[in-house]
């Protein structure tokens, strides 16, 4: 007799981070329907998941009846973060980008087969009115939930990406934590679950054998070095951490992600000391300071080797889409805990 697979409804699907997390968790699940309004993200998603029913549409057009026909057991979602992000206006539920999420809360009581929910968002969501409305709706539908603030660093991945997560299940409470506490680590009694961990230094995540013309594509321009050298977060291959990569990486220099010293044989301290003496940016050239490539960022975010972008996706769009995505290993670990 064929085993019944968990059926996942993937909302705000982006480039497929939730889908990859479900695959990595290896819990016998399939994505039966995926939806996002971002056409660039959808192109990447369809490029990697050609067999999935993926649609470009507003989630507000999804009715309870349509969802019930799909018979999903799990909803995995990463709603728009702009209403809650530290650099946004923090309009919360008043932001028009919350309207699809509010629609989902209206639909939730009428969903007949959904018993599990996994949601990701930015830090800041946990103090929002939207969060209060979300947890109230979950409770009224018989769900128990747990909230987390987690970074990939907790899985020994050398990249900081602190995010809010919520997992919820219907009718059965969790064996750890409470609904009044936000957890900042994976529950200790999840140790009997095999959780994927990363490799501690940046080196294994980096691309090998750069051709000269390929390297030139990612080197920081001299004018960027001259103007922003004091605020650049420069990392070495042997480093055990890196800053969060945002959608503005390469477009803005400050707070959007780390850069790499490509030539590790040169002394970072000596070259910068020489530069500070006379301001000649040529002193920094031997360091070969460069941006992390989209593939390297994808590696740090847990996307598997087969993941790729369509050839016509611009470099700027690749960075933007990755900056809007999520860490696959963190979500995969939470999905295992949810299904335990």
């Amino acid at each position: 007799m064929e085993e019944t697979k968990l059926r996942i409804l993937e909302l705000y699907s982006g480039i497929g981070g939730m889908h990859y997390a479900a695959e990595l968790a290896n819990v016998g699940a399939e994505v039966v329907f995926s939806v996002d309004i971002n056409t660039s993200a959808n192109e990447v998603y369809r490029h990697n998941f050609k067999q999935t029913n993926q649609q470009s549409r507003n989630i507000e057009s999804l009715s309870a009846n349509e969802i019930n026909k799909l018979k999903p057991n799990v909803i995995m979602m990463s709603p728009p973060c702009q209403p809650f992000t530290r650099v946004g206006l923090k309009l919360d539920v008043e932001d028009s980008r919350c309207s699809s999420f509010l629609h989902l809360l209206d639909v939730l009581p009428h969903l007949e087969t959904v018993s599990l929910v996994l949601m990701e968002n930015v830090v800041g969501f946990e103090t929002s009115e939207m969060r209060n409305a979300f947890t109230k709706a979950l409770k009224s539908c018989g769900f128990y939930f747990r909230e987390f603030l987690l970074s990939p660093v907790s899985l020994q991945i050398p990249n900081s990406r602190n995010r809010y997560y919520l997992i919820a299940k219907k009718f059965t409470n969790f064996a750890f934590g409470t609904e009044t506490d936000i957890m900042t680590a994976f529950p200790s009694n999840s140790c009997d679950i095999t959780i994927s961990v990363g490799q501690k230094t940046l080196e294994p995540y980096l691309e090998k054998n750069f051709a000269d013309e390929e390297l030139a594509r990612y080197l920081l321009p001299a004018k960027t070095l001259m103007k922003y050298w004091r605020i650049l977060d420069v990392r070495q291959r042997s480093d055990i951490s890196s800053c969060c990569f945002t959608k503005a990486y390469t477009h803005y220099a400050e707070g959007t992600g780390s850069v790499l010293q490509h030539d590790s044989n040169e002394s970072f301290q000596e070259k910068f000391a020489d530069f500070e003496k006379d301001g000649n940016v040529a002193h920094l050239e031997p360091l070969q300071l460069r941006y992390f490539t989209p593939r390297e960022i994808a590696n740090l975010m847990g996307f598997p080797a087969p993941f790729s972008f369509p050839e016509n996706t611009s470099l700027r769009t690749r960075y933007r889409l990755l900056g809007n995505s999520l860490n696959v290993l963190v979500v995969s670990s939470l999905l295992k805990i949810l299904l335990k």
Side-chain angles (χ1 to χ4, degrees), residues 13-33:
S13 51
I15 57 175
M18 290 283 187
H19 195 143
Y20 278 119
E23 287 189 350
L24 180 63
N26 194 26
V27 290
E30 65 172 326
V31 176
V32 295
F33 191 74

Side-chain angles (χ1 to χ4, degrees), residues 304-321:
F307 168 78
S308 64
F309 288 94
E311 285 188 17
N312 64 348
T313 308
S314 71
L315 190 60
R316 173 79 186 277
T317 299
R318 295 180 191 206
Y319 283 126
R320 180 169 55 80
L321 292 173

